[in-house]
Amino acid sequence: MNRPPNELTRTGGPYVVELREVTRTYGGVRALRGVDLLVERGELVAVAGPSGSGKSTMLHLIGTLDRPTTGTVRIAGHDVPGLSDRELSALRARHLGFVFQQFHLAPGVAALDNVADGLLYTGVPPRARREKAAAALERVGLGHRLGHRPHQLSGGEQQRVAVARAVAGDPPLLLADEPTGNLDSAAGTEVLAVLRDLHASGTTILVITHDAEIAAWCPRQVRVRDGRIAGDDGPGTGRRPPGPVPATTKGAAR
Amino acid sequence: MTGETTGGRLVPARLGPSDVLRTGMAGLRTRPARVILSALGIAIGIATMIAVLGVSASSREELLRRLDRLGTNLLTVSPGRTLFGEQAKLPEEALRMVRRIGPVRTASATGVVDTTIRRTNHIPEAVTGGIAVQAATSGLLATLEGRVTAGTWLNAATETRPAVVLGARAAERLGVTRTGVRVWMGERWFTVVGILGPMPLAPEIERSALVGFPAAADYLGFDGHPTTIYERSAEESVEAVRAVLPRTVNPENPEEVTVSRPSDALAARAAAASAFTGLLLGLGAVALLVGGVGVANTMVISVLERRREIGLRRSLGATRGQVRLQFLTESLLLSALGGLAGTVLGGLATIAYALARGWPPVVPPWAFAGAAGAALVIGTIAGLYPAMRAARLPPTAALSAT
Ligand SMILES: Nc1ncnc2c1ncn2[C@@H]1O[C@H](COP(=O)(O)OP(=O)(O)OP(=O)(O)O)[C@@H](O)[C@H]1O
Ligand SMILES: [Mg+2]
């Protein structure tokens, strides 16, 4: 299923994410024990697996928030272990967007400013930041909630603000660690619909999920078990459009 | 933003000053009570120091203004000691000689009379109340630019009569508040004809009872030798006059003559900072130090509480340096706030105190610069360690903290 390595050693290959024989140990705990994962541009990938299997650890490595103990991590063509902390910061600012299970919104700050501040480190001037933020909020269906502060928003709306913050700068790669974990199914559906639209517009998305239904909805599934990849539909399969958003409340999606 | 996966250089974007300020404010906006409490220590320290410096500068300014009003062109001439260590005497004609010096505008003399002044003859002679009896020439009041608060100064008529003018302190000690009363001097009654106002440049006159030269000779056995000559000249010739005075007054023994400038003592007082000021400044410095510790403490807690925010910012692309700068800015803003409040408080305290005492309120400009500098230094020192800690947090640890 995997392509021959020689095609991948050059930068600028088709892979946004490239993990090769990656391990990560915390003291004595081997969280990852040799992971190979290739993700092409424009894929929507679900990462599933039991608790403690190493999903978050893998996402942190892909997100360059952490470095592998051994192995190769290449993100958007950049060799992560070879980059300085400053370079990694620039890489995150330009190429990566994160959505977490907790929304991590600044309390008491309007949605528009929460999203605009997400662009603080990208070098975009303040006025353009606010314009892009408004556009991103429009994109997640919150164009009418710009001035609302987090406590005035529902959980699903807060998570959509967090998604807007992650994608306001149009990063090629969006990483989401259980984005619907704190939401009920209706709110989860809203968030998935947003991910579907982003995927349709070409963003590469990796979603960690415990929810079998959500995993099955994604065109490509990667199963993690005991720090290893236990199953993978293969690079490229995630480019197919996903089916209809799994929902208990029809029409909750935009 | 392009999605290019080229191996181009990755350079973090620089934050503009307004963005740095914005990140520094992020933590303060949501916790106003804590901001006020932690800035309070610095505010108290700065306020203390500004007030201490302001009050001492105001009192100095008051002294200098008084000096300005009194003039610095007054010189006094008095006898020193002879070669054999005995008390020298000024020649009787000394005053006339001084008046002959060109630039001298006015000169007068007093001479100590060996007697006492008492309210009545029933009071024992030993109880002098520290009041000196002196003969005075009729020009003395003009030379000293003094005034009487009651009655009149000695004139051609009264200087030959048993009449006395009391210095302000002398009158106070004798309990004399009006003219016309009689006091016992030597072996007879003298009538109080005038009471003098304050004499800042000649405090010895304030403690004297003054009679005319002729009266002193006639009634009190005064030998006619002046013991102090007061002289004023044009301001610019004071030094020249000073140089020739000893020789003029006593051509044979100029070294037996002492010349001094009373305003020098006032000027020295204005220049000297009191030990009390030093003590209060020290107290202010301690308060400032405690305030700095308070800010540092607040910052450490702030970093601990905001691990998730730090992780989020790192995931958004903040470099370690940018996180460090954010917390340093926050600490600087805290101490700047304290410094500003302290400066205002200290300034107000100075104004209130100075106005209450009738002084011109003055805070030296360098005190403001010092306050700004102190706030800056404290903010930096207090913020450095917490900022380093924040920058060193691994992004993952920061994000997984709940
Ligand atoms: N910072 C750390 N220090 C020590 N051990 C860690 C650390 N982070 C993760 N681990 C361990 O690594 C293993 C994988 O953790 P990880 O968080 O990746 O699991 P996960 O698949 O995301 O689980 P969950 O579904 O519960 O989120 C676990 O055994 C965990 O205890
Ligand atoms: Mg996890």
Side-chain angles (χ1 to χ4, degrees), chain A residues 57-103:
Chain A
T57 304
M58 193 170 91
L59 200 81
H60 287 156
L61 290 174
I62 295 172
T64 76
L65 297 171
D66 197 8
R67 293 167 188 270
T69 307
T70 62
T72 306
V73 177
R74 245 174 217 291
I75 303 301
H78 295 276
D79 187 36
V80 171
L83 295 179
S84 70
D85 188 77
R86 279 172 60 78
E87 288 169 322
L88 288 182
S89 300
L91 180 70
R92 290 195 288 269
R94 251 175 259 169
H95 296 274
L96 295 167
F98 292 87
V99 178
F100 304 96
Q101 186 173 344
Q102 298 97 345
F103 321 127

mmCIF file of all heavy atoms in Angstrom, chain A residues 57-103:
data_model
loop_
_atom_site.group_PDB
_atom_site.id
_atom_site.type_symbol
_atom_site.label_atom_id
_atom_site.label_comp_id
_atom_site.label_asym_id
_atom_site.label_seq_id
_atom_site.Cartn_x
_atom_site.Cartn_y
_atom_site.Cartn_z
ATOM 1 N N THR A 57 -0.514 11.428 21.464
ATOM 2 C CA THR A 57 0.937 11.526 21.295
ATOM 3 C C THR A 57 1.294 11.686 19.818
ATOM 4 O O THR A 57 2.112 12.530 19.443
ATOM 5 C CB THR A 57 1.607 10.256 21.863
ATOM 6 O OG1 THR A 57 1.217 10.101 23.229
ATOM 7 C CG2 THR A 57 3.110 10.339 21.753
ATOM 8 N N MET A 58 0.646 10.887 18.973
ATOM 9 C CA MET A 58 0.900 10.956 17.525
ATOM 10 C C MET A 58 0.509 12.328 16.975
ATOM 11 O O MET A 58 1.238 12.925 16.173
ATOM 12 C CB MET A 58 0.103 9.858 16.821
ATOM 13 C CG MET A 58 0.518 9.635 15.393
ATOM 14 S SD MET A 58 -0.250 8.139 14.738
ATOM 15 C CE MET A 58 -1.743 8.784 14.047
ATOM 16 N N LEU A 59 -0.641 12.822 17.427
ATOM 17 C CA LEU A 59 -1.106 14.121 16.931
ATOM 18 C C LEU A 59 -0.150 15.252 17.352
ATOM 19 O O LEU A 59 0.111 16.170 16.575
ATOM 20 C CB LEU A 59 -2.512 14.399 17.458
ATOM 21 C CG LEU A 59 -3.259 15.444 16.641
ATOM 22 C CD1 LEU A 59 -3.858 14.804 15.402
ATOM 23 C CD2 LEU A 59 -4.350 16.108 17.466
ATOM 24 N N HIS A 60 0.376 15.134 18.579
ATOM 25 C CA HIS A 60 1.329 16.153 19.038
ATOM 26 C C HIS A 60 2.592 16.150 18.188
ATOM 27 O O HIS A 60 3.166 17.195 17.910
ATOM 28 C CB HIS A 60 1.692 15.923 20.508
ATOM 29 C CG HIS A 60 0.572 16.283 21.446
ATOM 30 N ND1 HIS A 60 0.460 15.747 22.711
ATOM 31 C CD2 HIS A 60 -0.485 17.111 21.296
ATOM 32 C CE1 HIS A 60 -0.624 16.241 23.301
ATOM 33 N NE2 HIS A 60 -1.208 17.062 22.463
ATOM 34 N N LEU A 61 3.022 14.950 17.786
ATOM 35 C CA LEU A 61 4.216 14.863 16.941
ATOM 36 C C LEU A 61 3.933 15.456 15.563
ATOM 37 O O LEU A 61 4.744 16.198 15.016
ATOM 38 C CB LEU A 61 4.662 13.400 16.798
ATOM 39 C CG LEU A 61 5.250 12.785 18.066
ATOM 40 C CD1 LEU A 61 5.524 11.300 17.864
ATOM 41 C CD2 LEU A 61 6.528 13.508 18.457
ATOM 42 N N ILE A 62 2.748 15.117 15.018
ATOM 43 C CA ILE A 62 2.374 15.670 13.712
ATOM 44 C C ILE A 62 2.239 17.189 13.810
ATOM 45 O O ILE A 62 2.632 17.922 12.915
ATOM 46 C CB ILE A 62 1.045 15.048 13.224
ATOM 47 C CG1 ILE A 62 1.235 13.549 12.977
ATOM 48 C CG2 ILE A 62 0.555 15.739 11.961
ATOM 49 C CD1 ILE A 62 -0.062 12.812 12.690
ATOM 50 N N GLY A 63 1.742 17.654 14.964
ATOM 51 C CA GLY A 63 1.559 19.090 15.158
ATOM 52 C C GLY A 63 2.834 19.816 15.562
ATOM 53 O O GLY A 63 2.796 21.003 15.861
ATOM 54 N N THR A 64 3.941 19.104 15.629
ATOM 55 C CA THR A 64 5.262 19.638 15.980
ATOM 56 C C THR A 64 5.270 20.271 17.376
ATOM 57 O O THR A 64 6.093 21.119 17.679
ATOM 58 C CB THR A 64 5.809 20.673 14.955
ATOM 59 O OG1 THR A 64 5.138 21.914 15.137
ATOM 60 C CG2 THR A 64 5.644 20.193 13.533
ATOM 61 N N LEU A 65 4.311 19.852 18.207
ATOM 62 C CA LEU A 65 4.311 20.332 19.592
ATOM 63 C C LEU A 65 5.283 19.502 20.416
ATOM 64 O O LEU A 65 5.628 19.852 21.532
ATOM 65 C CB LEU A 65 2.903 20.235 20.189
ATOM 66 C CG LEU A 65 1.839 21.101 19.511
ATOM 67 C CD1 LEU A 65 0.459 20.762 20.036
ATOM 68 C CD2 LEU A 65 2.146 22.576 19.724
ATOM 69 N N ASP A 66 5.708 18.381 19.851
ATOM 70 C CA ASP A 66 6.574 17.440 20.549
ATOM 71 C C ASP A 66 7.521 16.853 19.508
ATOM 72 O O ASP A 66 7.255 16.935 18.315
ATOM 73 C CB ASP A 66 5.695 16.348 21.185
ATOM 74 C CG ASP A 66 6.436 15.560 22.252
ATOM 75 O OD1 ASP A 66 7.565 15.954 22.605
ATOM 76 O OD2 ASP A 66 5.875 14.558 22.724
ATOM 77 N N ARG A 67 8.626 16.296 19.968
ATOM 78 C CA ARG A 67 9.586 15.698 19.044
ATOM 79 C C ARG A 67 9.654 14.193 19.270
ATOM 80 O O ARG A 67 9.499 13.733 20.398
ATOM 81 C CB ARG A 67 10.979 16.303 19.255
ATOM 82 C CG ARG A 67 11.074 17.768 18.880
ATOM 83 C CD ARG A 67 12.378 18.337 19.411
ATOM 84 N NE ARG A 67 12.465 19.774 19.257
ATOM 85 C CZ ARG A 67 12.975 20.375 18.180
ATOM 86 N NH1 ARG A 67 13.426 19.662 17.162
ATOM 87 N NH2 ARG A 67 13.038 21.681 18.120
ATOM 88 N N PRO A 68 9.881 13.422 18.215
ATOM 89 C CA PRO A 68 9.936 11.967 18.371
ATOM 90 C C PRO A 68 11.209 11.555 19.103
ATOM 91 O O PRO A 68 12.208 12.258 19.060
ATOM 92 C CB PRO A 68 9.968 11.463 16.924
ATOM 93 C CG PRO A 68 10.586 12.579 16.155
ATOM 94 C CD PRO A 68 10.149 13.845 16.836
ATOM 95 N N THR A 69 11.132 10.404 19.798
ATOM 96 C CA THR A 69 12.334 9.863 20.421
ATOM 97 C C THR A 69 13.259 9.336 19.322
ATOM 98 O O THR A 69 14.450 9.629 19.304
ATOM 99 C CB THR A 69 11.967 8.728 21.404
ATOM 100 O OG1 THR A 69 10.989 9.237 22.304
ATOM 101 C CG2 THR A 69 13.169 8.265 22.181
ATOM 102 N N THR A 70 12.703 8.570 18.386
ATOM 103 C CA THR A 70 13.462 8.172 17.197
ATOM 104 C C THR A 70 12.509 8.224 16.010
ATOM 105 O O THR A 70 11.295 8.311 16.168
ATOM 106 C CB THR A 70 14.005 6.725 17.313
ATOM 107 O OG1 THR A 70 12.882 5.840 17.409
ATOM 108 C CG2 THR A 70 14.902 6.548 18.520
ATOM 109 N N GLY A 71 13.077 8.180 14.814
ATOM 110 C CA GLY A 71 12.258 8.133 13.611
ATOM 111 C C GLY A 71 12.165 9.475 12.906
ATOM 112 O O GLY A 71 12.707 10.478 13.365
ATOM 113 N N THR A 72 11.480 9.461 11.759
ATOM 114 C CA THR A 72 11.380 10.646 10.912
ATOM 115 C C THR A 72 9.980 11.243 10.995
ATOM 116 O O THR A 72 8.993 10.524 10.887
ATOM 117 C CB THR A 72 11.642 10.257 9.434
ATOM 118 O OG1 THR A 72 12.895 9.571 9.377
ATOM 119 C CG2 THR A 72 11.679 11.479 8.531
ATOM 120 N N VAL A 73 9.938 12.549 11.218
ATOM 121 C CA VAL A 73 8.665 13.266 11.133
ATOM 122 C C VAL A 73 8.846 14.392 10.137
ATOM 123 O O VAL A 73 9.707 15.245 10.296
ATOM 124 C CB VAL A 73 8.242 13.847 12.500
ATOM 125 C CG1 VAL A 73 6.956 14.640 12.354
ATOM 126 C CG2 VAL A 73 8.077 12.743 13.533
ATOM 127 N N ARG A 74 8.038 14.348 9.070
ATOM 128 C CA ARG A 74 8.094 15.396 8.071
ATOM 129 C C ARG A 74 6.715 16.018 7.963
ATOM 130 O O ARG A 74 5.731 15.320 7.726
ATOM 131 C CB ARG A 74 8.408 14.780 6.715
ATOM 132 C CG ARG A 74 9.687 15.181 6.128
ATOM 133 C CD ARG A 74 9.918 14.353 4.858
ATOM 134 N NE ARG A 74 11.311 14.043 4.751
ATOM 135 C CZ ARG A 74 12.228 14.985 4.501
ATOM 136 N NH1 ARG A 74 11.850 16.218 4.270
ATOM 137 N NH2 ARG A 74 13.489 14.666 4.463
ATOM 138 N N ILE A 75 6.640 17.320 8.143
ATOM 139 C CA ILE A 75 5.357 17.999 8.046
ATOM 140 C C ILE A 75 5.475 19.067 6.976
ATOM 141 O O ILE A 75 6.385 19.912 7.034
ATOM 142 C CB ILE A 75 4.963 18.639 9.401
ATOM 143 C CG1 ILE A 75 4.937 17.585 10.504
ATOM 144 C CG2 ILE A 75 3.620 19.358 9.295
ATOM 145 C CD1 ILE A 75 3.972 16.432 10.273
ATOM 146 N N ALA A 76 4.592 19.031 5.988
ATOM 147 C CA ALA A 76 4.613 19.980 4.873
ATOM 148 C C ALA A 76 6.008 20.042 4.262
ATOM 149 O O ALA A 76 6.482 21.095 3.855
ATOM 150 C CB ALA A 76 4.174 21.366 5.357
ATOM 151 N N GLY A 77 6.697 18.899 4.254
ATOM 152 C CA GLY A 77 8.004 18.826 3.619
ATOM 153 C C GLY A 77 9.159 19.210 4.524
ATOM 154 O O GLY A 77 10.307 19.143 4.114
ATOM 155 N N HIS A 78 8.862 19.636 5.754
ATOM 156 C CA HIS A 78 9.930 20.037 6.672
ATOM 157 C C HIS A 78 10.264 18.901 7.626
ATOM 158 O O HIS A 78 9.376 18.317 8.232
ATOM 159 C CB HIS A 78 9.516 21.262 7.477
ATOM 160 C CG HIS A 78 9.326 22.482 6.636
ATOM 161 N ND1 HIS A 78 10.366 23.296 6.266
ATOM 162 C CD2 HIS A 78 8.203 23.011 6.078
ATOM 163 C CE1 HIS A 78 9.911 24.288 5.519
ATOM 164 N NE2 HIS A 78 8.600 24.140 5.377
ATOM 165 N N ASP A 79 11.576 18.659 7.774
ATOM 166 C CA ASP A 79 12.035 17.604 8.658
ATOM 167 C C ASP A 79 12.032 18.129 10.095
ATOM 168 O O ASP A 79 12.896 18.923 10.478
ATOM 169 C CB ASP A 79 13.453 17.196 8.230
ATOM 170 C CG ASP A 79 13.933 15.984 8.997
ATOM 171 O OD1 ASP A 79 13.100 15.103 9.284
ATOM 172 O OD2 ASP A 79 15.133 15.943 9.324
ATOM 173 N N VAL A 80 11.062 17.706 10.894
ATOM 174 C CA VAL A 80 10.848 18.300 12.218
ATOM 175 C C VAL A 80 12.043 18.172 13.152
ATOM 176 O O VAL A 80 12.453 19.151 13.771
ATOM 177 C CB VAL A 80 9.565 17.733 12.858
ATOM 178 C CG1 VAL A 80 9.449 18.156 14.312
ATOM 179 C CG2 VAL A 80 8.360 18.175 12.064
ATOM 180 N N PRO A 81 12.644 16.981 13.310
ATOM 181 C CA PRO A 81 13.748 16.888 14.272
ATOM 182 C C PRO A 81 14.901 17.836 13.938
ATOM 183 O O PRO A 81 15.671 18.199 14.826
ATOM 184 C CB PRO A 81 14.192 15.431 14.163
ATOM 185 C CG PRO A 81 12.991 14.716 13.641
ATOM 186 C CD PRO A 81 12.314 15.684 12.726
ATOM 187 N N GLY A 82 15.002 18.239 12.681
ATOM 188 C CA GLY A 82 16.114 19.114 12.308
ATOM 189 C C GLY A 82 15.815 20.591 12.487
ATOM 190 O O GLY A 82 16.677 21.431 12.232
ATOM 191 N N LEU A 83 14.619 20.919 12.939
ATOM 192 C CA LEU A 83 14.250 22.334 13.027
ATOM 193 C C LEU A 83 14.408 22.876 14.448
ATOM 194 O O LEU A 83 14.225 22.152 15.423
ATOM 195 C CB LEU A 83 12.795 22.539 12.586
ATOM 196 C CG LEU A 83 12.494 22.224 11.112
ATOM 197 C CD1 LEU A 83 11.012 22.446 10.834
ATOM 198 C CD2 LEU A 83 13.346 23.083 10.186
ATOM 199 N N SER A 84 14.753 24.143 14.530
ATOM 200 C CA SER A 84 14.862 24.791 15.841
ATOM 201 C C SER A 84 13.466 25.115 16.361
ATOM 202 O O SER A 84 12.481 25.035 15.628
ATOM 203 C CB SER A 84 15.665 26.086 15.717
ATOM 204 O OG SER A 84 14.907 27.040 15.001
ATOM 205 N N ASP A 85 13.410 25.489 17.634
ATOM 206 C CA ASP A 85 12.116 25.825 18.227
ATOM 207 C C ASP A 85 11.466 26.997 17.491
ATOM 208 O O ASP A 85 10.254 27.021 17.294
ATOM 209 C CB ASP A 85 12.299 26.162 19.710
ATOM 210 C CG ASP A 85 10.966 26.337 20.410
ATOM 211 O OD1 ASP A 85 10.333 25.315 20.705
ATOM 212 O OD2 ASP A 85 10.554 27.494 20.618
ATOM 213 N N ARG A 86 12.290 27.959 17.094
ATOM 214 C CA ARG A 86 11.742 29.117 16.362
ATOM 215 C C ARG A 86 11.162 28.689 15.021
ATOM 216 O O ARG A 86 10.094 29.142 14.609
ATOM 217 C CB ARG A 86 12.846 30.157 16.136
ATOM 218 C CG ARG A 86 13.113 31.059 17.329
ATOM 219 C CD ARG A 86 14.344 31.904 17.085
ATOM 220 N NE ARG A 86 14.209 32.764 15.908
ATOM 221 C CZ ARG A 86 13.524 33.899 15.891
ATOM 222 N NH1 ARG A 86 12.909 34.300 16.985
ATOM 223 N NH2 ARG A 86 13.450 34.624 14.802
ATOM 224 N N GLU A 87 11.888 27.815 14.347
ATOM 225 C CA GLU A 87 11.406 27.363 13.036
ATOM 226 C C GLU A 87 10.123 26.551 13.178
ATOM 227 O O GLU A 87 9.212 26.669 12.361
ATOM 228 C CB GLU A 87 12.495 26.545 12.337
ATOM 229 C CG GLU A 87 13.656 27.407 11.860
ATOM 230 C CD GLU A 87 14.859 26.592 11.399
ATOM 231 O OE1 GLU A 87 15.161 25.549 12.022
ATOM 232 O OE2 GLU A 87 15.486 27.005 10.416
ATOM 233 N N LEU A 88 10.071 25.734 14.241
ATOM 234 C CA LEU A 88 8.849 24.963 14.465
ATOM 235 C C LEU A 88 7.672 25.892 14.736
ATOM 236 O O LEU A 88 6.553 25.655 14.276
ATOM 237 C CB LEU A 88 9.032 24.002 15.644
ATOM 238 C CG LEU A 88 9.936 22.799 15.389
ATOM 239 C CD1 LEU A 88 9.991 21.899 16.615
ATOM 240 C CD2 LEU A 88 9.463 22.001 14.170
ATOM 241 N N SER A 89 7.927 26.964 15.483
ATOM 242 C CA SER A 89 6.865 27.926 15.768
ATOM 243 C C SER A 89 6.344 28.530 14.467
ATOM 244 O O SER A 89 5.129 28.662 14.267
ATOM 245 C CB SER A 89 7.392 29.033 16.685
ATOM 246 O OG SER A 89 7.836 28.491 17.904
ATOM 247 N N ALA A 90 7.275 28.879 13.589
ATOM 248 C CA ALA A 90 6.875 29.457 12.302
ATOM 249 C C ALA A 90 6.082 28.432 11.489
ATOM 250 O O ALA A 90 5.095 28.766 10.826
ATOM 251 C CB ALA A 90 8.109 29.916 11.525
ATOM 252 N N LEU A 91 6.510 27.179 11.568
ATOM 253 C CA LEU A 91 5.810 26.112 10.844
ATOM 254 C C LEU A 91 4.370 25.985 11.342
ATOM 255 O O LEU A 91 3.425 25.896 10.551
ATOM 256 C CB LEU A 91 6.563 24.790 11.040
ATOM 257 C CG LEU A 91 5.974 23.549 10.364
ATOM 258 C CD1 LEU A 91 6.124 23.647 8.849
ATOM 259 C CD2 LEU A 91 6.653 22.268 10.858
ATOM 260 N N ARG A 92 4.210 26.012 12.664
ATOM 261 C CA ARG A 92 2.869 25.912 13.233
ATOM 262 C C ARG A 92 2.024 27.112 12.827
ATOM 263 O O ARG A 92 0.848 26.984 12.482
ATOM 264 C CB ARG A 92 2.949 25.821 14.767
ATOM 265 C CG ARG A 92 3.516 24.511 15.271
ATOM 266 C CD ARG A 92 3.230 24.326 16.746
ATOM 267 N NE ARG A 92 4.031 25.202 17.600
ATOM 268 C CZ ARG A 92 5.206 24.879 18.104
ATOM 269 N NH1 ARG A 92 5.741 23.692 17.841
ATOM 270 N NH2 ARG A 92 5.861 25.713 18.877
ATOM 271 N N ALA A 93 2.634 28.289 12.884
ATOM 272 C CA ALA A 93 1.876 29.502 12.560
ATOM 273 C C ALA A 93 1.368 29.454 11.126
ATOM 274 O O ALA A 93 0.259 29.888 10.830
ATOM 275 C CB ALA A 93 2.752 30.739 12.779
ATOM 276 N N ARG A 94 2.160 28.925 10.231
ATOM 277 C CA ARG A 94 1.825 28.993 8.810
ATOM 278 C C ARG A 94 1.102 27.782 8.267
ATOM 279 O O ARG A 94 0.285 27.892 7.380
ATOM 280 C CB ARG A 94 3.128 29.164 8.019
ATOM 281 C CG ARG A 94 3.241 30.549 7.436
ATOM 282 C CD ARG A 94 4.563 30.690 6.783
ATOM 283 N NE ARG A 94 5.460 31.418 7.671
ATOM 284 C CZ ARG A 94 6.766 31.518 7.455
ATOM 285 N NH1 ARG A 94 7.313 30.892 6.433
ATOM 286 N NH2 ARG A 94 7.499 32.220 8.262
ATOM 287 N N HIS A 95 1.429 26.599 8.773
ATOM 288 C CA HIS A 95 0.948 25.378 8.134
ATOM 289 C C HIS A 95 -0.052 24.586 8.933
ATOM 290 O O HIS A 95 -0.667 23.673 8.404
ATOM 291 C CB HIS A 95 2.133 24.458 7.789
ATOM 292 C CG HIS A 95 3.065 25.047 6.782
ATOM 293 N ND1 HIS A 95 2.860 24.925 5.426
ATOM 294 C CD2 HIS A 95 4.192 25.768 6.926
ATOM 295 C CE1 HIS A 95 3.836 25.537 4.786
ATOM 296 N NE2 HIS A 95 4.654 26.065 5.660
ATOM 297 N N LEU A 96 -0.182 24.889 10.240
ATOM 298 C CA LEU A 96 -0.992 24.019 11.085
ATOM 299 C C LEU A 96 -2.101 24.760 11.815
ATOM 300 O O LEU A 96 -1.937 25.910 12.218
ATOM 301 C CB LEU A 96 -0.092 23.346 12.137
ATOM 302 C CG LEU A 96 0.955 22.378 11.586
ATOM 303 C CD1 LEU A 96 1.962 22.028 12.661
ATOM 304 C CD2 LEU A 96 0.292 21.120 11.063
ATOM 305 N N GLY A 97 -3.212 24.053 11.930
ATOM 306 C CA GLY A 97 -4.296 24.556 12.772
ATOM 307 C C GLY A 97 -4.678 23.467 13.758
ATOM 308 O O GLY A 97 -4.685 22.285 13.410
ATOM 309 N N PHE A 98 -4.976 23.874 15.015
ATOM 310 C CA PHE A 98 -5.324 22.890 16.040
ATOM 311 C C PHE A 98 -6.728 23.134 16.576
ATOM 312 O O PHE A 98 -7.117 24.269 16.796
ATOM 313 C CB PHE A 98 -4.361 22.978 17.230
ATOM 314 C CG PHE A 98 -2.958 22.551 16.910
ATOM 315 C CD1 PHE A 98 -2.035 23.461 16.402
ATOM 316 C CD2 PHE A 98 -2.546 21.243 17.134
ATOM 317 C CE1 PHE A 98 -0.739 23.075 16.121
ATOM 318 C CE2 PHE A 98 -1.249 20.855 16.847
ATOM 319 C CZ PHE A 98 -0.342 21.768 16.339
ATOM 320 N N VAL A 99 -7.446 22.019 16.796
ATOM 321 C CA VAL A 99 -8.703 22.096 17.535
ATOM 322 C C VAL A 99 -8.608 21.072 18.659
ATOM 323 O O VAL A 99 -8.210 19.930 18.422
ATOM 324 C CB VAL A 99 -9.911 21.769 16.630
ATOM 325 C CG1 VAL A 99 -11.197 21.813 17.445
ATOM 326 C CG2 VAL A 99 -9.980 22.745 15.460
ATOM 327 N N PHE A 100 -8.899 21.539 19.884
ATOM 328 C CA PHE A 100 -8.769 20.647 21.030
ATOM 329 C C PHE A 100 -10.135 20.281 21.589
ATOM 330 O O PHE A 100 -11.131 20.933 21.310
ATOM 331 C CB PHE A 100 -7.934 21.318 22.116
ATOM 332 C CG PHE A 100 -6.589 21.763 21.635
ATOM 333 C CD1 PHE A 100 -6.377 23.071 21.229
ATOM 334 C CD2 PHE A 100 -5.535 20.865 21.557
ATOM 335 C CE1 PHE A 100 -5.137 23.486 20.771
ATOM 336 C CE2 PHE A 100 -4.295 21.265 21.095
ATOM 337 C CZ PHE A 100 -4.090 22.577 20.703
ATOM 338 N N GLN A 101 -10.113 19.223 22.416
ATOM 339 C CA GLN A 101 -11.374 18.797 23.029
ATOM 340 C C GLN A 101 -11.947 19.914 23.907
ATOM 341 O O GLN A 101 -13.118 20.246 23.824
ATOM 342 C CB GLN A 101 -11.127 17.536 23.866
ATOM 343 C CG GLN A 101 -12.401 16.941 24.419
ATOM 344 C CD GLN A 101 -12.151 15.597 25.093
ATOM 345 O OE1 GLN A 101 -11.115 14.967 24.901
ATOM 346 N NE2 GLN A 101 -13.116 15.165 25.878
ATOM 347 N N GLN A 102 -11.048 20.507 24.756
ATOM 348 C CA GLN A 102 -11.454 21.740 25.432
ATOM 349 C C GLN A 102 -11.230 22.858 24.427
ATOM 350 O O GLN A 102 -10.255 22.856 23.708
ATOM 351 C CB GLN A 102 -10.604 22.007 26.677
ATOM 352 C CG GLN A 102 -10.710 20.951 27.755
ATOM 353 C CD GLN A 102 -9.577 19.945 27.665
ATOM 354 O OE1 GLN A 102 -8.880 19.883 26.643
ATOM 355 N NE2 GLN A 102 -9.409 19.161 28.700
ATOM 356 N N PHE A 103 -12.127 23.820 24.411
ATOM 357 C CA PHE A 103 -12.082 24.790 23.313
ATOM 358 C C PHE A 103 -10.927 25.776 23.443
ATOM 359 O O PHE A 103 -10.447 26.332 22.475
ATOM 360 C CB PHE A 103 -13.422 25.532 23.257
ATOM 361 C CG PHE A 103 -14.603 24.625 23.530
ATOM 362 C CD1 PHE A 103 -15.533 24.933 24.510
ATOM 363 C CD2 PHE A 103 -14.745 23.435 22.813
ATOM 364 C CE1 PHE A 103 -16.604 24.074 24.769
ATOM 365 C CE2 PHE A 103 -15.819 22.577 23.070
ATOM 366 C CZ PHE A 103 -16.747 22.896 24.048
#
